[in-house]
Amino acid sequence: MENHGSGFRRVLLLAFCVAGIWSAYIYQGILQETLSTKRFGPDGKRFQHLAFLNLAQNVVCLIWSYIMLKLWSSSAGGAPWWTYWSAGITNTIGPAMGIEALKYISYPAQVLAKSSKMIPVMLMGTLVYGIRYTLPEYICTLLVAGGVSSFALMKTSSKTISKLAHPNAPLGYGLCFLNLTFDGFTNATQDSITARYPKTSAWDIMLGMNLWGTIYNLFYMFGWPHGSGFEAIQFCKQHPEAAWDIFFYCLCGAVGQNFIFLTISRFGSLTNTTITTTRKFVSIVVSSVLSGNPLSSKQWGCVLMVFSGLSYQIYLKWRKLQRLQKKRKPM
């Protein structure tokens, strides 16, 4: 009876994590799309300084992680704050490119392109480190690459194009690919830091990354008299609605990180990957239905192709995890 109660509580906690991740990041996606496509005020101006979202996100997450460390973390001996300086550079440039891509391609296209993270990872692994991958792993990559490429080559609806600031598909997809490449370097550096400092908590990483992100973005946006940060603040003063959208965008990111850390600590990274992958698919559906980004039946076929590859990848990871657990069991 006790085991049944414990299992039910675990299911409830998992449902809570799913609801938290989905609601935080789906709403953040809606706000991101709104800020990149909407015309604000009677003058119909666009918010052109999308990189400012990254600075605002860094500041909010820096404050949030500091509070969480003070409230919940009792661990000592984590990585010093200065060790994150190099990861902070790639983590500043990468997301900036990803969000700038929304000026050139639609939100569903951006989500789909950024779902193909395995492509640069496998390219780097094969070309630089000489890693050999299995046939199923290549099948996953081909499904994702084929789906994203086909989607990119298909004609986008005139309604979707009219919302973009500067429609340019090759540039938009190129920025997304560079975003994924920089993310790969960021993840590798973070892994190196946690290997050197095993007592480093998720909150330590969040604090260090956002501290350097804040420093770099402040310099980039306010480091000279006519920096874009001054224009972004002036725009928010003139259009308070945009300022509120930015605030809630940042809050969603901080809350979403909370749920991701909780999911990984209680259920493992594979469960978290599954939840975040399905969330991306739902984000595309929400964008298509609510935000007026209609997709053709062929484009939906490409979306399903990409997420079939991602789902197959999750299945392969689960099977590998099962084999490892069987090996660890005592005879």
Side-chain angles (χ1 to χ4, degrees):
M1 196 68 182
E2 187 178 337
N3 288 338
H4 178 74
S6 176
F8 181 68
R9 283 194 297 273
R10 190 169 170 80
V11 169
L12 282 179
L13 180 60
L14 179 60
F16 180 62
C17 290
V18 172
I21 291 172
W22 277 32
S23 57
Y25 286 111
I26 289 172
Y27 186 49
Q28 188 185 47
I30 292 170
L31 292 169
Q32 188 180 58
E33 188 172 5
T34 299
L35 286 161
S36 64
T37 60
K38 186 176 176 179
R39 295 182 180 274
F40 292 90
D43 51 355
K45 282 187 176 180
R46 290 180 183 270
F47 183 70
Q48 295 283 356
H49 312 288
L50 295 180
F52 184 75
L53 294 180
N54 290 327
L55 171 59
Q57 179 83 88
N58 286 143
V59 173
V60 171
C61 287
L62 176 64
I63 296 168
W64 185 281
S65 57
Y66 179 79
I67 292 170
M68 290 296 106
L69 277 169
K70 291 297 179 184
L71 289 177
W72 304 109
S73 181
S74 57
S75 63
W81 64 272
W82 51 265
T83 56
Y84 298 95
W85 72 270
S86 58
I89 294 174
T90 53
N91 195 49
T92 300
I93 299 171
M97 289 181 168
I99 205 163
E100 281 293 317
L102 288 171
K103 292 180 179 179
Y104 310 106
I105 56 175
S106 67
Y107 179 72
Q110 186 229 35
V111 172
L112 208 62
K114 290 177 71 174
S115 297
S116 58
K117 193 173 186 176
M118 66 177 74
I119 298 172
V121 168
M122 287 186 73
L123 280 174
M124 291 286 291
T126 304
L127 299 175
V128 180
Y129 300 107
I131 299 172
R132 291 185 178 182
Y133 296 95
T134 63
L135 179 61
E137 287 173 322
Y138 281 116
I139 291 171
C140 290
T141 306
L142 286 172
L143 281 169
V144 173
V148 173
S149 302
S150 301
F151 190 96
L153 292 171
M154 286 179 186
K155 187 179 178 182
T156 307
S157 72
S158 56
K159 185 177 180 183
T160 301
I161 290 175
S162 66
K163 290 183 174 184
L164 302 176
H166 310 287
N168 187 330
L171 179 56
Y173 284 105
L175 287 170
C176 286
F177 188 80
L178 286 171
N179 178 192
L180 294 176
T181 305
F182 278 107
D183 280 352
F185 283 109
T186 302
N187 293 338
T189 308
Q190 285 180 344
D191 291 342
S192 172
I193 291 170
T194 51
R196 278 183 289 151
Y197 302 94
K199 292 183 179 179
T200 302
S201 69
W203 297 119
D204 290 321
I205 295 172
M206 191 175 177
L207 181 73
M209 295 295 292
N210 285 290
L211 173 63
W212 284 104
T214 301
I215 293 168
Y216 294 141
N217 275 308
L218 278 172
F219 178 76
Y220 168 68
M221 304 205 79
F222 296 96
W224 44 84
H226 300 289
S228 58
F230 297 107
E231 294 177 16
I233 289 176
Q234 187 62 31
F235 186 94
C236 290
K237 286 180 179 178
Q238 293 172 354
H239 306 93
E241 185 184 352
W244 280 110
D245 283 345
I246 292 170
F247 172 73
F248 285 118
Y249 170 87
C250 298
L251 199 61
C252 284
V255 171
Q257 283 291 324
N258 242 11
F259 281 104
I260 283 176
F261 293 156
L262 178 62
T263 304
I264 291 172
S265 65
R266 296 299 178 89
F267 302 100
S269 59
L270 183 60
T271 301
N272 179 65
T273 302
T274 307
I275 295 169
T276 53
T277 300
T278 51
R279 189 278 303 171
K280 289 175 184 176
F281 182 80
V282 175
S283 290
I284 292 175
V285 174
V286 169
S287 175
S288 178
V289 174
L290 295 184
S291 302
N293 288 316
L295 301 181
S296 66
S297 56
K298 289 181 179 179
Q299 285 177 316
W300 277 117
C302 294
V303 171
L304 290 174
M305 189 175 173
V306 170
F307 283 95
S308 296
L310 294 175
S311 300
Y312 189 33
Q313 185 193 41
I314 291 168
Y315 168 72
L316 292 175
K317 287 181 179 179
W318 174 81
R319 202 169 65 177
K320 186 178 179 181
L321 191 64
Q322 293 293 104
R323 285 199 297 266
L324 287 172
Q325 287 175 346
K326 283 180 181 178
K327 285 180 181 179
R328 287 173 186 168
K329 282 182 181 179
M331 298 299 288

